Amino acid sequence: MQYFVVMIDYGRRGREAIVDPELTRREVVSRIASGEYANISFIHEIVESSVEDITDDILAEAALPEISLTGANLQANTLDHARDLRKHEPV
C-alpha cells in the first residue's frame, strides 16, 4: 500500500493532515498547482512500512514551468512594436 500525507498549516487555527489512500502523486501535484493545497508543512510518502519526506520533490513538480518566448513570439513582438511606433509618429 502507498499513500501520501499532506500536512497543511493554518497558523493559529492549527494544522490538518490530509490522508487519502486513493490520492495519487499526480493528484497531489495537481492540487498544489491549482492552489487547493497551500501553506504546506510537509508531504510524506508512505510505502508499506517506510516513510519518506518528498516535500521538495512534489513542490518542484507543482511549480509552473517558465515559458520562454519562441522565435515566432519574438518576431510578433517586434512587429507589434514597429506598428506602435508608426502609429504614434508625428504626421
Side-chain angles (χ1 to χ4, degrees):
M1 169 157 267
Q2 172 189 13
Y3 60 95
F4 299 91
V5 177
V6 181
M7 181 66 75
I8 298 178
D9 186 358
Y10 294 113
R12 298 177 87 192
R13 294 182 296 151
R15 287 192 254 172
E16 175 185 18
I18 299 172
V19 181
D20 182 354
E22 295 181 12
L23 196 64
T24 65
R25 182 182 184 108
R26 179 177 290 172
E27 289 170 327
V28 171
V29 170
S30 173
R31 289 179 185 193
I32 293 169
S34 72
E36 184 178 342
Y37 291 168
N39 301 323
I40 296 170
S41 294
F42 63 81
I43 302 169
H44 288 168
E45 178 180 25
I46 297 156
V47 180
E48 299 300 324
S49 60
S50 68
V51 177
E52 183 180 354
D53 185 348
I54 58 168
T55 308
D56 294 335
D57 297 338
I58 295 284
L59 292 179
E61 284 181 46
L64 295 176
E66 299 267 336
I67 300 173
S68 63
L69 291 176
T70 63
N73 286 339
L74 289 173
Q75 183 180 16
N77 287 348
T78 303
L79 294 173
D80 287 346
H81 181 69
R83 186 190 69 230
D84 288 343
L85 289 175
R86 284 192 307 273
K87 220 185 333 184
H88 297 291
E89 284 180 344
V91 179

